[in-house]
Amino acid sequence: MGTNLVAALDVGGTSIKAAMLDERLRVVTALRAPTARAEPGAAARTVADQIAGLVRELEAGAGAPARATGVAVPGIVDDDAGIARFSANLGWWDAPMRDMLAERLGTPVAFAHDVRAGGLAEARLGAARGFDDVAFIAVGTGIACGLLIGGRSHHGGGYAGEIGHMDIGHGLPCTCGGTGCLEAIASAGAVARRYAERTGAKADGALGVVTAAQAGDADAVAVLTEATDGIGRAVLALGRIVAPQVVVLGGGLFAAGEFVLDPVRRWLSAHLVFQPAPELRIAELGDEAGCLGAGLLAIDAAASGSPASPGATSTETVDSTASTNAVAPQDVTS
Amino acid sequence: MGTNLVAALDVGGTSIKAAMLDERLRVVTALRAPTARAEPGAAARTVADQIAGLVRELEAGAGAPARATGVAVPGIVDDDAGIARFSANLGWWDAPMRDMLAERLGTPVAFAHDVRAGGLAEARLGAARGFDDVAFIAVGTGIACGLLIGGRSHHGGGYAGEIGHMDIGHGLPCTCGGTGCLEAIASAGAVARRYAERTGAKADGALGVVTAAQAGDADAVAVLTEATDGIGRAVLALGRIVAPQVVVLGGGLFAAGEFVLDPVRRWLSAHLVFQPAPELRIAELGDEAGCLGAGLLAIDAAASGSPASPGATSTETVDSTASTNAVAPQDVTS
């Protein structure tokens, strides 16, 4: 008996994407809701209540219960412990979200950082299928990196992959309090802001700057070149330390595809010196990556059967789902 | 019946350290020999012959055969494939050393990068006992880093841990052809050289510069500060990407202990901003780390029983030796 469905939620600062997925990660039913706001101190509890409500709505929509739930969130997340350490956007500190959700739902819950969940999905189902050492860099409002090492998601207690706050030497201040951070010149937000500062003209986001650069706007080219050179520098450092086989670039900025990826590739080729270049690829799963990664983790949590602790072994056992849940990308994003 | 001994060799550019170790990694007998030199093209074969000869000598000395042999070498090493990709000092390119040795010895052989082997030893037996996410940075003639992630040695096809060639922004040229490399200002060799260039006086190696700094020599202090700040920068980047729990610092420069470690710790505390500081520790195993790491890998190769392929599963199964081979540090270094 029993259902083969899992609930997968990607919680953002402004909205939550929620989907009921089958065992091949096909969408059975999906929802979207604005992220609930609450007083400081009540944020985690409020969002946990909201997530539980959304899972019940998904179950009603699908006409069947979810065997398990996977939740991906931004910020500093200790995936193994199931704790949301910090999120400026969501306003929570050290929230034991996995346990809070397992208590509300009564079924197994997996909890992960959104970019790590996205990276897992890209490595299992997307642009880096078949590789064990993978970096997924999401360049959106901020910049973060999900690392798969030896086929396992690596989180470093929540602090791994903070590539957006790596000092790449430009010397400008960052909102984090540091200087020289990649994010300060290369995030989609920074690209749009820096173009506006430079020209006095407002661009339609980072992709507006890309469009202007494609039309030959020298200011747009300059701003984008600083961003792609900076990303090249960060990928080079990642290469020196981790040497991933494949680096997948996604998020808002890389929706522009090869026009933005190619300069990164060229900067990198010119600076690697003795190291072979990693394969650079554009993400395939787009906005769905976080939700699909949460779904992969939920399938694992269902298999491990423990309501509140996919815990330390989760990434290991997720490996075994790769074969049974491998789907063609078109199945996934439909 | 049967021996419980393994042979462990740490091959350097100038000399080879070789030891017969028992199952608790205690030294039964040890040898040291200058590394054999050969014509270009014959270097790998010549060293393989020499290693096989040394193993036979160890066996004669111990009065018993080695069940397996572990060999650690410098350069670019693909540990899983057992291939020495490149070593400037040893003069070899793409040498299938593990197979060459297994053919000569007829018993299982493990083959690894020397700093990764040292890092494995520090994580199992030395300064980072009990931790799963560990970086071991060896600051000697060059600078390299052995990474243990989730309890497994990570090599990235031979290119992981090349922290000595990370661009930390000082803009000076490096022997590798790049600029800004950590190694160019912070290796033990660079510290001695830069002090000599600055003062016209010859220091007695990096430790001579440390002694001068301790006596208040402002030039020595300046050169060392550039080195320790640089190492701080590299550890910060490592923290942003991998977030190791413990960073172990070893090699010639860190023989000076806390006098050199403390400035790294202070630089790091001042620049981490939002990330907790990793635990910084001085290596405990000194010169023995590479040989002990080779011994750990040999024990694993013996357990897996395959003459030429500890292969992809080696670091995994090494985990299981941690309990049976855990030794107190005094047993190991005696």
Side-chain angles (χ1 to χ4, degrees), chain B residues 176-317:
Chain B
C176 79
T179 55
C181 295
L182 176 63
E183 206 165 286
I185 64 162
S187 69
V191 165
R193 179 179 45 73
R194 299 187 82 225
Y195 179 78
E197 283 168 7
R198 189 180 173 112
T199 61
K202 203 167 146 51
D204 186 15
L207 293 184
V209 180
V210 171
T211 305
Q214 284 168 331
D217 177 333
D219 291 308
V221 170
V223 165
L224 274 180
T225 301
E226 286 181 350
T228 53
D229 285 2
I231 292 167
R233 269 180 201 283
V235 173
L236 182 60
L238 193 62
R240 293 289 190 244
I241 293 174
V242 171
Q245 299 156 306
V246 179
V247 177
V248 177
L249 289 144
L253 185 62
F254 284 93
E258 283 294 326
F259 184 78
V260 190
L261 185 62
D262 196 53
V264 177
R265 194 178 278 129
R266 280 186 279 114
W267 191 95
L268 206 55
S269 299
H271 292 83
L272 275 162
V273 189
F274 62 91
Q275 209 164 5
E279 175 95 19
L280 294 191
R281 297 182 181 180
I282 294 288
E284 286 181 5
L285 305 175
D287 270 359
E288 311 298 318
C291 223
L292 289 169
L296 283 165
L297 293 168
I299 288 170
D300 176 54
S304 80
S306 160
S309 49
T313 62
S314 76
T315 47
E316 177 84 272
T317 46

Side-chain angles (χ1 to χ4, degrees), chain B residues 5-318:
Chain B
L5 305 181
V6 295
L9 297 96
D10 186 357
V11 178
T14 56
S15 72
I16 299 179
K17 279 174 278 188
M20 191 72 102
L21 306 174
D22 73 11
E23 74 281 8
R24 295 187 63 209
L25 293 177
R26 288 172 300 203
V27 176
V28 175
T29 180
L31 290 168
R32 201 173 178 122
T35 308
R37 294 281 155 200
E39 297 296 299
R45 203 168 58 241
T46 302
V47 172
D49 288 342
Q50 184 184 21
I51 290 170
L54 289 170
V55 172
R56 297 308 173 212
E57 275 190 67
L58 288 172
E59 291 177 326
R67 293 169 65 203
T69 297
V71 178
V73 304
I76 303 289
V77 180
D78 187 333
D79 304 31
D80 278 357
I83 294 173
R85 293 261 171 242
F86 173 68
S87 166
N89 287 338
L90 292 162
W92 55 35
W93 290 264
D94 288 331
M97 284 296 281
R98 190 177 59 209
D99 288 353
M100 290 167 70
L101 289 168
E103 195 180 291
R104 282 161 175 77
L105 293 168
T107 43
V109 174
F111 188 70
H113 185 262
D114 54 0
V115 175
R116 277 193 288 277
L120 186 69
E122 289 289 350
R124 297 266 186 273
L125 317 165
R129 280 190 305 281
F131 292 92
D132 283 336
D133 294 337
V134 175
F136 169 57
I137 303 179
V139 182
T141 313
I143 300 180
C145 173
L147 283 176
L148 211 78
I149 295 181
R152 307 195 212 190
S153 178
H154 173 65
H155 52 85
Y159 293 95
E162 285 290 345
I163 202 171
H165 299 287
M166 207 160 64
D167 182 355
I168 56 162
H170 56 67
L172 299 171
C174 177
T175 52
C176 79
T179 55
C181 295
L182 176 63
E183 206 165 286
I185 64 162
S187 69
V191 165
R193 179 179 45 73
R194 299 187 82 225
Y195 179 78
E197 283 168 7
R198 189 180 173 112
T199 61
K202 203 167 146 51
D204 186 15
L207 293 184
V209 180
V210 171
T211 305
Q214 284 168 331
D217 177 333
D219 291 308
V221 170
V223 165
L224 274 180
T225 301
E226 286 181 350
T228 53
D229 285 2
I231 292 167
R233 269 180 201 283
V235 173
L236 182 60
L238 193 62
R240 293 289 190 244
I241 293 174
V242 171
Q245 299 156 306
V246 179
V247 177
V248 177
L249 289 144
L253 185 62
F254 284 93
E258 283 294 326
F259 184 78
V260 190
L261 185 62
D262 196 53
V264 177
R265 194 178 278 129
R266 280 186 279 114
W267 191 95
L268 206 55
S269 299
H271 292 83
L272 275 162
V273 189
F274 62 91
Q275 209 164 5
E279 175 95 19
L280 294 191
R281 297 182 181 180
I282 294 288
E284 286 181 5
L285 305 175
D287 270 359
E288 311 298 318
C291 223
L292 289 169
L296 283 165
L297 293 168
I299 288 170
D300 176 54
S304 80
S306 160
S309 49
T313 62
S314 76
T315 47
E316 177 84 272
T317 46
V318 163

Side-chain angles (χ1 to χ4, degrees), chain A residues 147-198:
Chain A
L147 284 176
L148 211 78
I149 295 182
R152 308 194 210 190
S153 179
H154 173 65
H155 52 85
Y159 294 94
E162 284 290 344
I163 201 170
H165 299 287
M166 208 161 63
D167 182 355
I168 57 161
H170 56 65
L172 299 170
C174 177
T175 52
C176 78
T179 55
C181 294
L182 176 63
E183 208 167 282
I185 64 162
S187 69
V191 165
R193 179 178 45 74
R194 299 186 81 223
Y195 179 79
E197 283 168 7
R198 190 181 172 109

Side-chain angles (χ1 to χ4, degrees), chain A residues 238-276:
Chain A
L238 194 61
R240 294 288 191 245
I241 293 175
V242 171
Q245 299 156 306
V246 179
V247 177
V248 177
L249 290 145
L253 185 62
F254 285 91
E258 284 293 328
F259 184 78
V260 190
L261 185 61
D262 197 52
V264 177
R265 196 179 276 129
R266 281 187 278 113
W267 190 95
L268 205 55
S269 299
H271 292 83
L272 276 162
V273 189
F274 63 91
Q275 209 165 5

